[in-house]
């Protein structure tokens, strides 16, 4: 089944390839993601694998064993610079702290594409990601609309200071401000981890007798919050972000109200596509910003497809969707 692309928005800034070396195929693309605990990054990796295979290339996955570990990703960069893959598709575990690592990649003259979290520095062929503020705003608006614009709300944040968390939580808060009848009870970090979010939610329930809505900055934490609610035999409307399979299953069962999605599968596909196209001296798109989709019980069908059965977007698709 072809992946829905209606939420792609491309400024269509065509960038020249960084390299002048022409390669027919068989490129090795090193793909850096942040952890193995957030299912979102599995969708990114499968998308990257899918695209590389379709273009007769291959991937080499770099994943910190300790989630979002800055020292470990820096060590992995040292390794990749020695191995010299054809190109790198890079998600920084921290958008500021990994800049020296990106500069080492640049010094090694390995072409690199930035995906998901926009790096604070370094030189990239292209950026493929999303508007996290809009993602937070639209998902929170859906929750508040469901609650009739009122109620007691809690926010479970991701990693404090991370760019995705800052922007998503800013969107959450702006949506709450739009609804005078809603009250924000607390905003606490769950570090994008399911177990930590479960514990945060348990603590929040002990100090708040009535919680009507939970805004979680990713699906893993939303599921953790639901487990805490179930454990306490309490009810609240919960939303997450990422559109993971676990979230889709929870939406289908009525446990989760909604999940904001910005298509990690497409991010993996398009990031790898831009890397390989640059290596082959083909035009690339310098920036691809995916628009959010709020997945609910009314529209989950196109997202309820196994990753292995999804098809990457084509470059022509991306170009057409980027036309204003």
């Amino acid at each position: 089944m072809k992946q829905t692309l209606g939420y792609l928005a491309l400024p269509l800034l065509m960038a020249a390839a960084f390299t002048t070396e022409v390669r027919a195929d068989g490129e090795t693309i090193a793909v850096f993601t942040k952890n193995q605990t957030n299912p979102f990054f599995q969708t990114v990796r499968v998308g990257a694998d899918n695209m590389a295979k379709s273009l007769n290339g291959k991937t080499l996955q770099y994943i910190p064993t300790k989630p979002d570990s800055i020292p470990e990703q820096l060590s992995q960069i040292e390794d990749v610079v020695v191995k010299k893959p054809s190109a790198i598709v890079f998600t920084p575990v921290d958008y500021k702290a990994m800049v020296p690592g990106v500069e080492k990649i640049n010094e090694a003259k390995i072409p690199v594409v930035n995906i998901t979290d926009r790096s604070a520095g370094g030189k990239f062929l292209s950026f493929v990601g999303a508007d996290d503020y809009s993602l937070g705003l639209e998902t929170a608006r859906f929750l508040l609309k469901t609650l009739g614009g009122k109620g007691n709300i809690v926010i479970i944040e991701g990693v404090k200071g991370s760019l995705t968390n800052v922007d998503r939580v800013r969107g959450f808060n702006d949506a709450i401000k739009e609804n005078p009848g809603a009250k924000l009870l607390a905003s606490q970090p769950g570090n994008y981890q399911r177990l930590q979010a479960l514990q945060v939610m348990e603590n929040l329930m002990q100090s708040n007798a009535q919680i009507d809505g939970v805004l979680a900055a990713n699906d893993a934490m939303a599921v953790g919050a639901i487990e805490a609610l179930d454990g306490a035999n309490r009810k609240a409307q919960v939303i997450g972000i990422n559109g993971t399979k676990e979230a889709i299953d929870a939406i289908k069962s009525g446990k989760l109200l909604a999940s904001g999605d910005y298509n990690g599968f497409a991010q993996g596909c398009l990031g790898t596509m831009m890397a390989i196209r640059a290596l082959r001296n083909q035009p690339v798109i310098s920036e691809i910003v995916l628009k959010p989709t709020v997945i609910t019980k009314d529209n989950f069908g196109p997202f309820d497809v196994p990753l292995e059965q999804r098809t990457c977007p084509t470059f022509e698709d991306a170009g057409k969707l980027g036309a204003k």
Side-chain angles (χ1 to χ4, degrees), residues 71 126 134 154-155 157 194 210-211 275 279 298 313:
S126 176
S134 296
V154 298
I155 294 175
E157 302 187 23
R194 178 174 177 162
Q210 181 65 40
I211 296 175
L279 291 168
D298 296 323

Side-chain angles (χ1 to χ4, degrees), residues 147-205:
L147 294 175
K150 59 185 179 182
N152 293 330
I153 310 296
V154 298
I155 294 175
I156 303 180
E157 302 187 23
V159 176
K160 284 280 191 183
S162 70
L163 191 57
T164 54
N165 183 66
V166 169
D167 287 346
R168 290 175 191 181
V169 171
R170 186 163 57 89
F172 288 164
N173 279 302
D174 282 356
I176 293 171
K177 291 174 185 173
E178 292 174 349
N179 295 270
K183 180 181 180 182
L184 178 63
L185 299 177
S187 186
Q188 297 184 8
N191 294 320
Y192 290 132
Q193 303 299 313
R194 178 174 177 162
L195 179 58
Q196 291 185 39
L198 185 152
Q199 295 166 340
V200 167
M201 192 66 201
E202 288 176 339
N203 292 334
L204 289 172
M205 286 190 294

Side-chain angles (χ1 to χ4, degrees), residues 119-135:
S119 173
K123 297 177 181 177
F124 295 94
L125 292 166
S126 176
F127 171 75
V128 181
D131 179 351
D132 282 288
Y133 171 76
S134 296
L135 198 62

Side-chain angles (χ1 to χ4, degrees), residues 136-155:
L137 181 68
E138 295 304 324
T139 49
R141 279 176 171 170
F142 184 80
L143 171 74
L144 288 157
K145 182 179 179 182
T146 301
L147 294 175
K150 59 185 179 182
N152 293 330
I153 310 296
V154 298
I155 294 175

Side-chain angles (χ1 to χ4, degrees), residues 1 5 15 43 84 141 157 165 210 216 242 258 262 276:
M1 182 175 180
L5 292 171
T43 69
K84 283 193 175 297
R141 279 176 171 170
E157 302 187 23
N165 183 66
Q210 181 65 40
N242 286 156
Y262 63 150
I276 291 178

